[in-house]
Amino acid sequence: MVLSIPMARLFRNIVVVSASTIGSRITGLVRDMVVFSLLGTGAMNSAFITAFTLPNLFRRLLGEGALTSAVIPVFSDELEKGGRPGAFALLNQVLSWLALVLTALVLLLGGVCSLVHFIPNLEERWYTGADLAIVLMPYMLLICQAAIIAAALNALEYFALTALSQVWLNLAMILGIGGFGWLFADTAESRVGWLCAGVLVGGILQVVVPGWGLKRAGWHIRFTLHRSERLRQVITLFLPGVAGAAIIQVNNTVSRLLAFGLNEQAVSILYLANRLIELPLGIFATAITTVLFPAMARAASRGDKAGFATQFQQGTRLIIAITTPAAVGLAVLGEPIIALLFKYGAFKSADVTATLAPLAIFALALPLYGYATLATRGFHALKDTRYPVRVAVSNFTVNLILSIALMYPMGMNGLAWANTIANVVQCALLGRELGMRDPALGFAPITKAIYQILIAAASMGTVVYAAQWLMITLFGTSRLVCAVELIVLIPLGVGLYYLVLRWLRFSELDALHQLVRKITRR
């Protein structure tokens, strides 16, 4: 296939975001290794994860979720028609109003969390979680502002700085618990205190660093409560979008609260399994969506239906092609990955075993997560934030019913299965609606690519599983053997997957080759 100049730039931006995100994911992995090593999977770690859910809930509602999806299309429109001065004026309006709303929310939610202490006869971890939530609440104000600044940078095609944002949080948290907490704290409670301090310092850095980058692009921060027509457009798109995002995040929060009530370990185990899924999801699928969303928004703004469809299906094929073998690899090699990365200190062999099944179940949904994110952003680029709300309601309903039905007979695995099945429903509904609006956006044009990917991934998984079984039979399951397994089997699997796709003439390989040649020539 011929790679056009705009598509070459698109691929190059994806490579930049992926490379930058690798640093974020690696530091996030190190952060989790340090946290689980010092806190294990007990009540204190579960209380922190649950408390951190609340500011993250509003981050995804008001920051990286609905508001970002509303800001980028309108910001892109203003860039096309009014240039950077008008776009930056809109940005200042959004940030100013957001600061007022978030300040009120921080105070309100802090007060609500304090009321937990008036509820008698709760287990101690609930009171601890409420106290930690109050401490972490200001992070919500910081990260939501940072997300809008990052959205503006993405619309201007400055991707690397925003992709590195999570690095600052991870480093601050590592320094908090792994540095000061390890040196000066002798109890789990005091170590978590240092961890919370790291979160707040990291939030400040997440605002300051991208803000500095945007300032270099010509932005001058100014507090203003002026209400323009563009701001009203943002609000019009935001209101139905926040309803959908709220349902999704309430869904996640309810799942975490159900797990928190199940036992002391469930939240930590499910969190860790999810974090391992987010590693390939963040490096590749989220990077592709991050780059494509502004591009799709510009195409939609110009009325370029063919360009929009081309970019969307290009992104879909890439996401499925990358996440499918990653899902197979996590399911097959889950035990050596978990043992090598986390089996230290308070994290024991039993914790490794407990994490395997949820990891394999979540891995099945990895391509679904990637596609759902891109498809939802496709609707947002078309300035339709209403249909994703209806899909989110279906996702929430299916997940809640299945979670309640499966959590007691199947424990943590039941919650994982409920989440995975709900994501199957979500993807089916999103893809069906896109195909009805424009056949070029449906599943039919990529059916051949999906079959090719599944054949290649199945071949890879079979060979890697057989090779792993042979190595365990011959050498056992020591930490050294785990390391050798990963060093040998991951390149073997990647190479085999590539060769099978090559043999099947998978189209995106030619596009990637052209990109590599363009980069090396420069």
Side-chain angles (χ1 to χ4, degrees), residues 42 145 165 185 281 391 393 400 443 449 456 471 510:
Q145 297 279 359
S165 176
L281 188 68
V391 174
V393 172
L400 181 61
F443 291 121
M471 293 180 70
D510 293 332

Side-chain angles (χ1 to χ4, degrees), residues 343-357:
K343 191 180 172 185
Y344 303 96
F347 195 89
K348 306 299 183 183
S349 297
D351 299 317
V352 175
T353 302
T355 311
L356 289 178

